[in-house]
Amino acid sequence: MAPAKSEQRVRSAALNRDTNETKIILALNLDGGAFPDTTDSRLTSGGEGHASQASLSQTIRIESGIGFLDHMLHALAKHAGWSLALHCKGDLHIDDHHTAEDVCLALGAAFHAALGAPTGLARFGSAYAPLDEALSRAVVDLSNRPFSVVSLGLRRERIGDLSAEMLPHCLQSFAQAARLTLHVDCLRGDNDHHRAESAFKALALAIRLATARVPGREGEVPSTKGTLST
């Protein structure tokens, strides 16, 4: 008789991040499906926001207070295969910096907690994503060494209600807290909305590949040094 297969760990996390600048509640499941039992009930109650979507495999509900950031995180969650619920109340009376930065730091921290020990995983992922005339490339390494190189080539000062300069900073903040090595480049495109969105979609696809479980390599560390924790 073949040995029974052990149940796979649910890769999910919930957190609260509370500072004088932002108050964030967040729940994440890297494989879609249900949120953890520790999820703040405020994330699953109330009305639907514009960055909300529910299907059999995913629940997405994002309210950062910055519409274009919600749109980018919605695309990231959808194409990475995540369930993601996020609410932020930030000091937008000052500007968008603290809110955008802290949301992405919180998302990165939740990603790192949900991922857990990076064993049995592909570790590396790379992908291209087009959006009409725009084309972006993303390359990800679950290295536990935070590093990012981001080149989006944006020309507008703002896209919607988000400062264009915050888009690469958001990706850098996510990589820092998620402890990823991350390279994202927009290779071409005339429209800055398209350039940014194609970049977030490429990142989503690369993350989905990097975090994929590899059959037959359960418990194995995908590193020649034998660890990705130090």
Side-chain angles (χ1 to χ4, degrees), residues 8-49:
Q8 292 183 332
R9 185 179 72 86
V10 176
R11 300 190 296 182
S12 64
L15 61 78
N16 287 33
R17 189 180 192 274
D18 194 341
T19 73
N20 289 336
E21 297 168 344
T22 58
K23 302 186 187 307
I24 299 168
I25 51 176
L26 184 157
L28 173 68
N29 188 324
L30 298 182
D31 301 299
F35 295 118
D37 293 339
T38 53
T39 298
D40 192 306
S41 62
R42 290 173 291 176
L43 288 172
T44 55
S45 61
E48 294 283 316

Side-chain angles (χ1 to χ4, degrees), residues 8-15 26-39 80-85 105-119 121 142 144 174 177-180 207 210-213:
Q8 292 183 332
R9 185 179 72 86
V10 176
R11 300 190 296 182
S12 64
L15 61 78
L26 184 157
L28 173 68
N29 188 324
L30 298 182
D31 301 299
F35 295 118
D37 293 339
T38 53
T39 298
W82 299 345
S83 284
L84 173 63
L105 287 171
L107 180 58
F111 175 93
H112 183 67
L115 187 67
T119 59
L121 306 181
L142 305 179
N144 200 40
F174 172 73
R179 302 193 64 79
L180 302 175
I207 287 175
T211 58
R213 293 179 168 107

Side-chain angles (χ1 to χ4, degrees), residues 84-160:
L84 173 63
L86 181 153
H87 183 272
C88 175
K89 182 173 178 56
D91 56 1
L92 292 173
H93 61 284
I94 295 176
D95 68 5
D96 57 1
H97 185 101
H98 296 147
T99 296
E101 178 181 63
D102 288 3
V103 161
C104 292
L105 287 171
L107 180 58
F111 175 93
H112 183 67
L115 187 67
T119 59
L121 306 181
R123 175 179 170 179
F124 300 99
S126 61
Y128 291 83
L131 179 52
D132 296 345
E133 88 296 343
L135 177 66
S136 291
R137 175 187 61 214
V139 184
V140 169
D141 177 9
L142 305 179
S143 61
N144 200 40
R145 294 189 304 276
F147 195 87
S148 58
V149 179
V150 181
S151 178
L152 304 184
L154 303 175
R155 296 176 292 273
R156 290 165 56 180
E157 183 176 348
R158 303 181 71 83
I159 307 177

Side-chain angles (χ1 to χ4, degrees), residues 158-222:
R158 303 181 71 83
I159 307 177
D161 48 0
L162 180 64
S163 303
E165 68 179 6
M166 289 307 300
L167 283 157
H169 188 61
C170 282
L171 296 177
Q172 293 158 358
S173 297
F174 172 73
Q176 176 186 338
R179 302 193 64 79
L180 302 175
T181 298
L182 173 66
H183 292 254
V184 179
D185 298 274
C186 183
L187 304 177
R188 65 177 65 95
D190 300 320
N191 182 289
D192 277 359
H193 184 133
H194 290 176
R195 294 178 72 94
E197 188 170 343
S198 69
F200 275 78
K201 287 177 175 176
L203 175 59
L205 297 173
I207 287 175
R208 192 167 191 163
L209 291 171
T211 58
R213 293 179 168 107
V214 181
R217 295 186 182 177
E218 294 82 359
E220 294 183 13
V221 178

